[in-house]
Structures are given as structure tokens and as C-alpha cells.
């Protein structure tokens, strides 16, 4: 099963994506985690990404798309994957679609975790305290939210047109949201399940 999980920062999509991955035996692929790992190793790609991440901007598509398409071509992604943080632009969504179509595949389901803005801000503030992530600083958060909203709408529209977008209420405990998400994934047609 190939899943794209959508949601703004603080929507809980990373936590939920990890659960789906371990529950279904598919790989969790987070472009944010990949960039942070590359930055920590000091690679050229990582240093380039970090400059954008620290300003709350998206990393340019020409860097992001190549990295993601390489990752989903690795053997462990063959049985399926859940993408967390990709696509964030229509161009990324199109590139993913083209790459998968070339292998006779597609994205099966796109849950969008929906959380009101005030709940998001409260969660992000808490995470910033706990993890000390430099891109969770308040001034960076405002820019990330603004940038993410526009991209998220484009990407949601892209998948809505393909009838794979499913809205999931993201307010509640991690378990409650996980149950709703499981329900949304159940609705994927059996034909697609085997693809
Ligand atoms: P995340 O952990 O998903 O919130 O990502 C952290 C940061 O990595 C983002 O604010 C972007 O700067 C960068 N990033 C992650 N995924 C993407 C993507 N698909 N396209 C562009 N930039 C990304």
C-alpha cells in the first residue's frame, strides 16, 4: 500500500505515520527526517537543505524530488510506504505520480489530518520545549505554517481530483486519531490493496 499523509506541522502526522508503517509493514519516509539526517552528517545536500529549513522555507524541488524518488526506489519500499512531509508542492505530487506510473503504480490513499490552528500552535509550542528543534522557534513556526498551508492546499486538490483524499479529524488522543485513520485506510479498494 502506498500512502501519502497530509497535515500541517503539529497535526500529529509524523506520529500517526509511524504507527501506520509499523502496523502494516510498510516503510515510513519523512523528507524532513532525511534532510535532518543529511545535515547532521554534513553532506552537501544536508547543508543546502539546512539553510532553507532554518529560515522556515521549503527546500527547492530540484533537491527534494530527486532525494525522495531515490528513496522510494530502494528495495524496502517495494512492499509499500507512507510518505510524511512529501509532496508539499504540486510539482512534487506530479513528479511522484510520474515516477510511480512508470512502474504501473500509484498512490492508493491520502489521509489529511485536520486540526484547528489554535490546537496546532499549542502542540508546536509544547514540542519546541520538549525537543528543542531549532525550526520550532515561534518566529520560524509562523513562516512554516504560512508556507505549508498554501502548498498543502495545492497537494490536497491534486489528490482530491484523483479521488484518493480522505479527511481525518486530528483532534483527540493519539489512539483516537489512529482509530479514525485506520478506518480511512480500510476504505481503500481491495484492488489497490494488492497493488
Ligand atoms: P518536517 O519535519 O516535515 O516538518 O520538515 C522540516 C523542514 O524540512 C521543512 O520545513 C522544509 O524546510 C524541509 N522539507 C521537508 N519536506 C520537504 C518537502 N517535501 N519539500 C520541501 N522542503 C521540505
Amino acid at each position: 500500500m502506498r500512502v501519502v499523509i497530509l497535515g500541517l506541522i503539529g497535526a500529529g502526522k509524523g506520529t500517526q505515520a509511524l504507527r501506520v508503517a509499523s502496523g502494516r509493514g510498510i516503510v515510513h519516509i519523512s523528507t524532513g527526517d532525511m534532510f535532518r539526517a543529511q545535515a547532521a552528517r554534513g553532506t552537501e545536500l544536508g547543508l543546502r537543505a539546512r539553510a532553507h529549513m532554518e529560515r522556515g522555507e521549503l527546500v527547492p524541488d530540484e533537491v527534494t524530488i530527486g532525494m525522495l524518488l531515490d528513496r522510494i526506489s530502494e528495495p524496502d519500499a517495494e512492499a509499500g510506504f507512507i510518505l510524511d512531509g512529501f509532496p508539499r508542492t504540486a510539482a512534487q505530487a506530479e513528479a511522484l505520480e510520474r515516477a510511480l506510473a512508470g512502474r504501473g503504480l500509484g498512490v492508493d490513499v491520502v489521509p489529511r489530518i485536520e486540526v484547528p490552528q489554535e490546537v496546532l500552535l499549542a502542540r508546536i509550542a509544547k514540542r519546541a520545549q520538549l525537543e528543542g528543534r531549532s525550526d520550532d522557534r515561534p518566529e520560524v513556526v509562523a513562516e512554516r505554517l504560512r508556507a505549508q498551508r498554501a502548498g498543502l492546499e495545492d497537494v490536497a486538490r491534486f489528490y482530491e481530483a484523483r479521488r484518493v483524499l480522505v479527511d481525518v479529524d486530528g483532534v483527540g488522543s493519539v489512539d483516537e486519531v489512529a482509530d479514525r485513520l485506520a478506518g480511512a485506510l480500510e476504505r481503500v479498494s481491495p484492488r489497490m490493496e494488492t497493488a
Side-chain angles (χ1 to χ4, degrees):
M1 173 183 252
R2 277 161 289 276
V3 183
V4 167
I5 190 163
L6 298 182
L8 292 167
I9 32 167
K13 72 179 159 48
T15 305
Q16 297 295 339
L18 280 168
R19 284 208 174 192
V20 169
S22 65
R24 293 179 175 257
I26 58 178
V27 284
H28 169 240
I29 300 176
S30 154
T31 40
D33 285 351
M34 291 175 78
F35 285 135
R36 281 184 287 276
Q38 295 272 346
R41 283 168 45 209
T43 66
E44 194 186 325
L45 186 150
L47 297 179
R48 195 166 164 203
R50 184 156 71 191
H52 295 282
M53 292 167 82
E54 284 181 345
R55 289 196 295 266
E57 299 164 0
L58 290 182
V59 178
D61 279 350
E62 77 259 21
V63 177
T64 309
I65 289 171
M67 179 183 77
L68 186 277
L69 295 185
D70 284 350
R71 179 66 189 89
I72 63 169
S73 303
E74 285 174 28
D76 66 344
E78 225 162 79
F81 51 72
I82 179 161
L83 302 187
D84 168 9
F86 185 100
R88 270 185 161 109
T89 64
Q92 291 180 8
E94 277 157 20
L96 175 64
E97 183 172 78
R98 262 196 312 276
L100 289 175
R103 290 149 56 188
L105 303 172
V107 170
D108 301 316
V109 61
V110 181
R112 172 170 60 182
I113 314 286
E114 295 207 292
V115 175
Q117 172 103 356
E118 63 273 18
V119 179
L120 288 181
L121 291 174
R123 287 187 188 171
I124 295 164
K126 196 167 153 198
R127 186 171 76 180
Q129 274 186 331
L130 291 175
E131 299 179 10
R133 266 177 57 166
S134 65
D135 57 351
D136 272 346
R137 282 180 287 123
E139 63 277 19
V140 178
V141 165
E143 173 56 22
R144 285 171 76 203
L145 267 180
R146 193 199 58 72
Q148 281 197 6
R149 239 178 235 294
L152 184 67
E153 277 167 24
D154 289 345
V155 171
R157 216 173 295 123
F158 181 94
Y159 288 119
E160 197 166 27
R162 284 150 183 80
R163 303 187 181 283
V164 286
L165 183 74
V166 188
D167 278 325
V168 175
D169 177 2
V171 179
S173 68
V174 172
D175 285 341
E176 282 166 347
V177 177
D179 283 348
R180 289 182 207 130
L181 179 55
L185 297 183
E186 289 314 310
R187 291 205 289 276
V188 176
S189 76
R191 182 187 62 80
M192 285 173 157
E193 277 281 7
T194 58

